[in-house]
Amino acid sequence: MSDPPASGLSAETLRALARRKLRPSLGVEDLGRAVPPVGGDIALGRQRGEWAVVAGARPAAVLAPIVKRQEGLSVLLTLRALHLRAHSGQVAFPGGQIDPGETPLQAALREASEEIGLNERFIEPLGWLDPYLTGTGFRVAPLVALVEPSFTLTINDREVDEVFETPFAFLMDPANHRLEEREWQGRRRKFYAMPHEGRYIWGATAGILRNLYEKLFS
């Protein structure tokens, strides 16, 4: 049996892969363009002929932070506060809606600072995944970044209950990508899930991670 594709991957190798395979830039205007439903969590539950671009999807950006730990790369994730109206108690990347006049880069860095106190001086942007359409009406710009491990976080408890890290090698192993199904708004919906040590990583977060695997390793 071969090792998972990201097993033992160094930050230097990840940086080189990202430069070759990720988008170097992404603007707000790119979020308004139709893209194939590759990884959109709403699309997985639809037949190919039913797909239609969701008009009026709101622009958002997230930071997918990969921490350069000595023991191996890990992905920094948040557990959203239970009192939030949307996606409460779910595992997520730091991120949110793009404000008027902001670029996706500015929004991703701002949200990371506001939600968990991650200062941009520790963040090295590597590139962008394709826009990701969520079932809740957002078209998300995912920024992949390396993070120096010397950061100190200040969690905004109005938005986040907890911050934790999950091994990058685990998340990039397709053997850990479960395709699950449940009923949502009166129809069956399929989505990716990557449970790890009691954390249920699913939906848009798992879909973005799956897209990262497909871009880098498939």
Side-chain angles (χ1 to χ4, degrees):
M1 182 180 294
S2 61
D3 290 334
S7 178
L9 193 75
S10 68
E12 291 73 20
T13 301
L14 175 61
R15 187 183 290 113
L17 272 172
R19 285 175 179 163
R20 292 203 325 266
K21 299 192 173 186
L22 300 185
R23 299 170 65 143
S25 63
L26 191 142
V28 174
E29 65 279 3
D30 297 311
L31 298 180
R33 295 174 184 157
V35 294
V38 182
D41 58 346
I42 187 173
L44 284 170
R46 295 189 167 188
Q47 298 300 315
R48 185 170 299 177
E50 293 181 271
W51 175 256
V53 175
V54 176
R58 292 162 288 177
V62 298
L63 182 71
I66 302 170
V67 185
K68 298 193 292 183
R69 297 289 180 195
Q70 187 172 6
E71 61 272 22
L73 300 173
S74 64
V75 178
L76 193 71
L77 295 165
T78 73
L79 188 66
R80 287 174 58 82
L82 286 172
H83 61 260
L84 293 174
R85 285 189 305 171
H87 308 293
S88 60
Q90 292 184 15
V91 174
F93 292 114
Q97 195 160 336
I98 298 173
D99 289 340
E102 270 191 321
T103 66
L105 175 61
Q106 290 168 337
L109 296 177
R110 173 182 56 77
E111 288 284 348
S113 176
E114 291 177 357
E115 288 186 7
I116 61 174
L118 180 58
N119 192 290
E120 66 178 271
R121 73 176 183 272
F122 298 104
I123 300 170
E124 177 192 347
L126 296 180
W128 298 87
L129 294 169
D130 292 332
Y132 186 99
L133 182 65
T134 74
T136 51
F138 286 94
R139 191 176 290 280
V140 181
L143 174 63
V144 181
L146 276 171
V147 177
E148 291 292 337
S150 52
F151 60 81
T152 300
L153 300 181
T154 303
I155 297 174
N156 179 355
D157 58 12
R158 292 175 296 177
E159 298 189 56
V160 173
D161 277 348
E162 192 178 348
V163 177
F164 62 96
E165 295 180 30
T166 301
F168 183 67
F170 174 89
L171 295 171
M172 293 296 103
D173 185 349
N176 301 321
H177 300 175
R178 296 185 350 199
L179 194 55
E180 299 189 352
E181 186 175 339
R182 68 174 59 168
E183 188 164 325
W184 182 68
Q185 294 187 349
R187 66 186 306 156
R188 301 301 296 178
R189 172 182 163 216
K190 294 180 181 179
F191 55 89
Y192 284 108
M194 304 170 186
H196 181 263
E197 296 185 354
R199 311 284 190 184
Y200 187 60
I201 304 166
W202 72 289
T205 303
I208 290 169
L209 288 165
R210 173 71 185 192
N211 282 355
L212 179 58
Y213 158 75
E214 291 176 351
K215 282 287 187 182
L216 295 182
F217 302 112
S218 67

